[in-house]
Amino acid sequence: MFLEPQETMPQTSVVFASILGPGCSGQGQPGMGERGGGAGGSGDLIFQEGRLISGSLEALMEHLVPTVDYYPDKTYIFTFLLSSRVFMPPHDLLARVGQICLEQRQQLEAGSEKAKLKSFSAKIVQLLKEWTEAFPYDFQDEKAMAELKAITHRVTQCDEENGTVKKAIAQMTQSLLLSLAARSQLQELREKLRSPAMDKGPVLKAKPPAAQKDILGVCCDPLVLAQQLTHIELERVSSIHPEDLMQIVSHMDSRDKHRCRGDLTKTYSLEAYDNWFNCLSMLVATEVCRVVKKKHRTRMLEFFIDVARECFNIGNFNSMMAIISGMNLSPVARLKKTWSKVKTAKFDVLEHHMDPSSNFCNYRTALQGATQRSQMANSSREKIVIPVFNLFVKDIYFLHKIHTNHLPNGHINFKKFWEISRQIHEFMTWTQVECPFEKDKKIQSYLLTAPIYSEEALFIASFESEGPENHMEKDSWKTLRTTLLNRA
């Protein structure tokens, strides 16, 4: 973790550089026609050991736009497009890009250099192509789409007879519209979905009839259940996009008066994924507390411990943490007689991995191991890395809060945004892994739709299984009974 404001940001990871291809380290490359680099006026870009570390917003925008002799490397394009929304809406950035393009085009036209003008136009289209592919949601805004059309109209005016630039623009536009349509359909589908039903439990009898189906009646193999949980995780996390994660920064930022606050609807995917974690935790607690017999409750706890262990082995840390959280909820944790029959050695190992001390040091070590395995993987099974999402969000938040957006000279602290971008890009790499396990619709349907108890119902079921043992629990039990009788 990068802690001190004066430290140099960690260099781009091997994964980041290798995926984006050579020449993508965020450093100036020989023959790339590097721009800026002076140590003078406020508009200059500042480099440290060849790495861009700061600059004014205007200079950073100019550094994004190609020239005849220069094209920005891919990591810079991704990082700046991602981080710029903290300071301005995407459509405003696109408008400024269009102005810079127009100024350069007019200079080339004045020199009657048609070959250079064509080369410049092709580079502008390539930049727009990378933008629309990485952040298609930026163009859902009508203003952004209008700016895009204006820029592409200008560059086609110098197109050669065979119309290669026009063809590239047509292909880019078609791909963009398909991406926007797909996201729109996905959002409509999400709005139709509902969270699992919250079962409040019948009055004074929170436990269902013994014949009612439980998770063991649907799947009794811990590995299979862990695989199905991984399926659900990858499906849900794949709907999260880089700009969604950047909302963590832009929504928290209170310093930049002209920042892009972002569309609050864009955080829906983040909230939905976080809600899945909570639902899984409550489902685990429900499955344990609803069981009538102590022997069966013991078996249920041991089953979920095994499922959590299989999730760990797969690299699905989010489901693992959700399961552990469910077993640590008070209605489950207080079942001392049940826990006394559980072989807890495996559970102790899992809790060791998720020990919060030293900023979850044990978990971070395991995550690093899974990441290294993923980088060297020969099979899709070894590529799976699903981090604990709320810890990932906290890391981004911490990184944002401990480092300022601006340096004392007014420059944007680009070292900060290199690191935020690196972490988000690595997360996005993990989300793009295709799940190698066969989907079981029956198991997934149960996991996603089985009724889960409210906190109140969980306590009722817990107290009915094992009565209150101290004054505090007795008072709680009495209050619950009174509440339910009055409600009835």
Side-chain angles (χ1 to χ4, degrees):
M1 176 61 62
F2 175 60
L3 299 176
E4 298 298 330
Q6 299 304 318
E7 286 184 11
T8 301
M9 283 289 183
Q11 295 297 304
T12 305
S13 68
V14 175
V15 179
F16 196 24
S18 63
I19 288 176
L20 293 177
C24 296
S25 65
Q27 301 176 0
Q29 301 297 321
M32 292 294 287
E34 183 176 322
R35 301 170 67 170
S42 61
D44 287 340
L45 300 175
I46 305 301
F47 290 80
Q48 186 179 77
E49 298 179 353
R51 185 176 180 81
L52 176 60
I53 60 170
S54 72
S56 67
L57 180 58
E58 179 64 24
L60 292 169
M61 286 190 289
E62 290 178 356
H63 196 57
L64 175 70
V65 181
T67 66
V68 173
D69 305 314
Y70 162 82
Y71 190 83
D73 64 57
K74 291 185 178 181
T75 53
Y76 179 75
I77 294 173
F78 179 84
T79 300
F80 183 70
L81 290 178
L82 180 65
S83 57
S84 64
R85 64 199 68 234
V86 175
F87 307 100
M88 64 194 306
H91 63 80
D92 282 353
L93 174 60
L94 193 59
R96 182 62 189 124
V97 167
Q99 291 173 359
I100 297 171
C101 290
L102 180 60
E103 291 166 5
Q104 292 194 36
R105 174 183 165 80
Q106 289 173 343
Q107 291 176 6
L108 292 171
E109 287 176 337
S112 300
E113 299 180 273
K114 290 186 177 180
K116 289 185 177 181
L117 190 57
K118 292 176 182 178
S119 174
F120 171 69
S121 297
K123 288 181 178 180
I124 294 300
V125 174
Q126 178 61 27
L127 174 65
L128 295 174
K129 180 175 180 290
E130 292 190 39
W131 190 341
T132 56
E133 288 176 349
F135 304 100
Y137 202 85
D138 287 354
F139 299 87
Q140 182 172 270
D141 186 288
E142 291 182 4
K143 294 179 181 178
M145 190 61 80
E147 293 292 348
L148 178 64
K149 290 178 179 178
I151 296 173
T152 54
H153 175 70
R154 293 189 198 115
V155 299
T156 54
Q157 291 177 358
C158 65
D159 200 8
E160 58 269 31
E161 294 179 2
N162 60 12
T164 55
V165 172
K166 289 182 180 178
K167 289 178 183 177
I169 290 173
Q171 291 174 354
M172 175 192 73
T173 304
Q174 183 179 19
S175 296
L176 173 60
L177 294 175
L178 288 173
S179 294
L180 290 175
R183 289 201 187 187
S184 178
Q185 290 174 2
L186 182 60
Q187 190 168 339
E188 289 176 4
L189 179 62
R190 284 180 193 149
E191 290 172 356
K192 293 178 182 178
L193 297 176
R194 295 289 181 265
S195 297
M198 187 68 73
D199 187 353
K200 296 183 178 181
V203 177
L204 296 181
K205 284 291 176 183
K207 289 175 285 192
Q212 185 170 331
K213 186 187 295 184
D214 61 19
I215 187 65
L216 288 173
V218 178
C219 177
C220 59
D221 186 332
L223 175 59
V224 172
L225 189 62
Q227 291 174 344
Q228 296 309 306
L229 287 171
T230 302
H231 244 297
I232 294 172
E233 292 278 356
L234 288 173
E235 285 180 3
R236 300 215 164 192
V237 79
S238 66
S239 66
I240 296 175
H241 303 284
E243 60 269 31
D244 299 327
L245 294 169
M246 205 62 188
Q247 296 296 311
I248 299 167
V249 173
S250 59
H251 283 169
M252 292 170 183
D253 193 359
S254 60
R255 297 188 184 94
D256 296 286
K257 295 180 180 179
H258 302 292
R259 70 191 184 281
C260 173
R261 295 178 181 271
D263 182 355
L264 288 174
T265 60
K266 289 184 185 179
T267 63
Y268 178 87
S269 57
L270 305 184
E271 294 165 0
Y273 190 48
D274 185 58
N275 185 56
W276 153 248
F277 180 98
N278 296 331
C279 287
L280 179 55
S281 294
M282 293 295 282
L283 176 63
V284 170
T286 299
E287 292 292 322
V288 174
C289 289
R290 65 192 283 196
V291 178
V292 177
K293 295 183 179 180
K294 181 171 63 178
K295 180 174 68 174
H296 293 162
R297 280 198 306 277
T298 300
R299 184 187 173 201
M300 186 68 75
L301 280 171
E302 291 180 338
F303 174 72
F304 276 118
I305 290 170
D306 287 338
V307 173
R309 186 179 64 166
E310 294 295 350
C311 286
F312 178 84
N313 292 337
I314 289 171
N316 181 358
F317 299 106
N318 201 56
S319 288
M320 172 192 171
M321 178 66 100
I323 293 170
I324 293 174
S325 298
M327 290 189 287
N328 280 328
L329 289 174
S330 295
V332 179
R334 65 166 299 278
L335 298 172
K336 295 179 181 178
K337 294 177 182 177
T338 304
W339 279 102
S340 68
K341 301 296 182 181
V342 175
K343 297 175 183 178
T344 56
K346 296 176 185 176
F347 187 66
D348 293 340
V349 171
L350 294 174
E351 288 211 303
H352 172 75
H353 286 305
M354 294 299 166
D355 183 354
S357 62
S358 300
N359 192 22
F360 288 88
C361 178
N362 296 337
Y363 158 69
R364 295 184 190 282
T365 300
L367 179 63
Q368 184 179 14
T371 301
Q372 291 173 349
R373 179 187 68 181
S374 178
Q375 292 172 16
M376 299 181 290
N378 294 318
S379 69
S380 54
R381 292 191 176 207
E382 296 174 327
K383 290 182 181 179
I384 296 172
V385 182
I386 306 173
V388 178
F389 186 62
N390 58 10
L391 290 182
F392 173 79
V393 169
K394 287 178 181 177
D395 285 348
I396 297 296
Y397 169 79
F398 179 75
L399 186 61
H400 170 60
K401 296 300 290 184
I402 202 171
H403 302 289
T404 60
N405 287 345
H406 290 95
L407 300 175
N409 65 355
H411 278 195
I412 289 174
N413 181 11
F414 210 67
K415 284 199 298 182
K416 165 183 174 175
F417 292 104
W418 277 127
E419 179 60 13
I420 290 176
S421 172
R422 184 193 67 79
Q423 292 193 22
I424 288 178
H425 188 279
E426 186 172 49
F427 180 86
M428 297 310 301
T429 301
W430 295 332
T431 68
Q432 291 162 13
V433 173
E434 186 175 348
C435 189
F437 310 121
E438 186 177 349
K439 187 173 183 177
D440 189 312
K441 293 183 179 179
K442 183 180 179 182
I443 296 174
Q444 289 201 21
S445 176
Y446 185 89
L447 289 169
L448 294 170
T449 63
I452 55 178
Y453 281 5
S454 65
E455 185 178 1
E456 184 180 78
L458 285 174
F459 271 111
I460 294 171
S462 179
F463 284 135
E464 289 187 338
S465 295
E466 296 184 20
E469 294 188 349
N470 54 51
H471 291 298
M472 185 178 295
E473 287 191 345
K474 288 178 182 178
D475 289 343
S476 296
W477 180 221
K478 183 178 179 180
T479 301
L480 280 172
R481 290 173 63 89
T482 302
T483 301
L484 290 176
L485 285 172
N486 290 338
R487 192 177 295 165

